[in-house]
Amino acid sequence: MRILGIETSCDETGIAVYDDAQGLLSHELYSQVKLHADYGGVVPELASRDHVRKIVPLIEKAMADANTSPQDLDGVAFTQGPGLVGALLVGSSVGRSLAYAWNVPAVGVHHMEGHLLAPMLETQAPGFPFVALLVSGGHSMLVKVEGIGQYELLGESIDDAAGEAFDKTAKLLGLDYPGGPLLAKLAEKGEPGHYKFPRPMTDRPGLDFSFSGLKTFAANTIRDSDGSEQSQANIAFAFQEAVIDTLIIKCKRALKQTGMKTLVIAGGVSANTMLREKMTSLMQDMGGEVFYPSLAYCTDNGAMIAYAGMQRLKAGETLPLSSKAKPRWPLDELTAI
């Protein structure tokens, strides 16, 4: 069985072809970072227009690289939600149109389920059940995963997501967009012990997150600093350490609460080097295992949508061509397969 995957939930146009016997056959990704850099963030209208320009050429490239014709496909999967409604409409319109033209089923994929299952693309993939930490620019959540579609939300951010907090703090430090990776790079030059940032909501029970206060604390710290390059690096180090320590504390709680020994971390922030190092150490101490997607599949991409769509298609789940995009779509509303 072979499927075409389309991702257009925000500012990346991702296309992939996945075969359940041969694995990932092709993977194309176009990022709009340069387009939005002048504005310091994603401009929804510009994102939608750029998806329109890039999506068809990328599909043609991915199909050619996979040596795949429309007759070889068994379905077309696309991100149905959540995300920017205009961006989602581009992918869903093209995906449904191709499914109709090629006479194959259409499959609507939940963006966060795509991230959650992205580690399954790796040679060493996790088995069910596990706890998943999904951390990106738009989401931060802990999920108990018994199987595909069997999700229990354990905790989520009540305000800013972790990735959003990274980007906002990077902007306060005068870094370019997208700021998260640049802040992490700056933090490599930082020294511990100069600043102490709070670990929000870790002094109370529960698994919810809150990162907006860290941004305010960072803003005040930056304002009161001497503005030197070393001070900026020290602030970046302290901020990053606070976010990661908070994620680690909550993951440890979630694993103890569920009694599980397997942790999956996915989403854009899962590419953070300090996060990976500290989480790996934690799981070794707890006698468990942690799994990540490769760096190419941490950010939004078509491969994860193709894989998730394949699992849904194999279970007989298809989407009526009249179905609409879902800019808001709780993960726990998905059906189990």
Side-chain angles (χ1 to χ4, degrees):
M1 186 175 285
R2 190 170 295 188
I3 195 168
L4 174 70
I6 300 172
E7 155 61 20
T8 62
S9 65
C10 190
D11 62 337
E12 272 99 15
T13 311
I15 310 294
V17 177
Y18 185 86
D19 187 284
D20 64 345
Q22 301 177 52
L24 188 64
L25 301 181
S26 66
H27 172 231
E28 295 294 325
L29 184 66
Y30 175 79
S31 174
Q32 300 176 3
V33 165
K34 291 182 179 179
L35 176 67
H36 300 288
D38 290 342
Y39 305 95
V42 177
V43 181
E45 176 64 18
L46 295 180
S48 303
R49 291 177 180 272
D50 213 40
H51 283 309
V52 171
R53 284 190 288 266
K54 303 297 183 181
I55 189 168
V56 172
L58 286 175
I59 290 173
E60 291 174 340
K61 179 70 162 53
M63 293 282 283
D65 288 349
N67 194 26
T68 297
S69 68
Q71 292 74 28
D72 298 322
L73 291 175
D74 297 283
V76 177
F78 58 88
T79 303
Q80 191 178 8
L84 301 176
V85 64
L88 290 170
L89 284 171
V90 177
S92 65
S93 297
V94 172
R96 286 178 297 152
S97 298
L98 291 177
Y100 178 78
W102 295 341
N103 194 30
V104 296
V107 184
V109 174
H110 192 291
H111 180 73
M112 296 312 293
E113 181 172 65
H115 276 303
L116 189 153
L117 298 178
M120 304 295 186
L121 291 163
E122 306 303 317
T123 303
Q124 293 186 333
F128 299 111
F130 55 79
V131 170
L133 172 66
L134 303 178
V135 275
S136 65
H139 300 84
S140 291
M141 60 179 71
L142 278 163
V143 184
K144 179 182 178 182
V145 181
E146 298 283 357
I148 297 177
Q150 300 177 51
Y151 308 133
E152 178 186 347
L153 183 62
L154 301 175
E156 62 184 335
S157 179
I158 62 174
D159 42 56
D160 288 358
E164 183 181 5
F166 264 95
D167 287 339
K168 287 181 176 179
T169 301
K171 189 173 183 179
L172 292 171
L173 287 166
L175 302 176
D176 291 336
Y177 172 84
L182 296 178
L183 186 149
K185 187 173 182 179
L186 178 62
E188 293 175 1
K189 302 177 183 178
E191 301 170 349
H194 292 275
Y195 298 98
K196 179 65 175 178
F197 277 58
R199 274 60 173 165
M201 295 185 69
T202 58
D203 58 349
R204 67 187 76 174
L207 295 171
D208 285 336
F209 303 98
S210 172
F211 294 109
S212 64
L214 275 178
K215 180 197 68 176
T216 303
F217 192 93
N220 293 333
T221 303
I222 293 167
R223 182 196 62 205
D224 296 338
S225 72
D226 59 16
S228 67
E229 183 177 343
Q230 188 58 52
S231 291
Q232 298 285 85
N234 293 339
I235 291 170
F237 180 93
F239 170 82
Q240 176 177 249
E241 189 176 49
V243 172
I244 290 170
D245 283 352
T246 301
L247 295 175
I248 288 173
I249 291 168
K250 297 289 185 172
C251 283
K252 189 174 182 179
R253 284 184 189 175
L255 290 164
K256 288 185 175 180
Q257 178 177 310
T258 60
M260 294 184 180
K261 293 289 187 180
T262 304
L263 177 67
V264 163
I265 305 179
V269 181
S270 69
N272 184 281
T273 301
M274 180 183 284
L275 175 63
R276 291 192 173 215
E277 291 175 351
K278 288 198 169 189
M279 282 295 190
T280 299
S281 177
L282 168 68
M283 295 308 293
Q284 288 174 347
D285 292 342
M286 295 182 68
E289 288 186 284
V290 59
F291 296 86
Y292 313 90
S294 64
L295 295 181
Y297 309 129
C298 288
T299 56
D300 297 348
N301 63 88
M304 68 182 193
I305 301 304
Y307 181 85
M310 174 67 77
Q311 308 315 307
R312 296 269 166 194
L313 182 61
K314 289 172 71 174
E317 187 173 311
T318 60
L319 195 69
L321 294 179
S322 59
S323 297
K324 298 179 181 179
K326 297 181 178 182
R328 296 185 182 275
W329 190 6
L331 183 63
D332 54 10
E333 287 185 0
L334 295 179
T335 56
I337 61 172

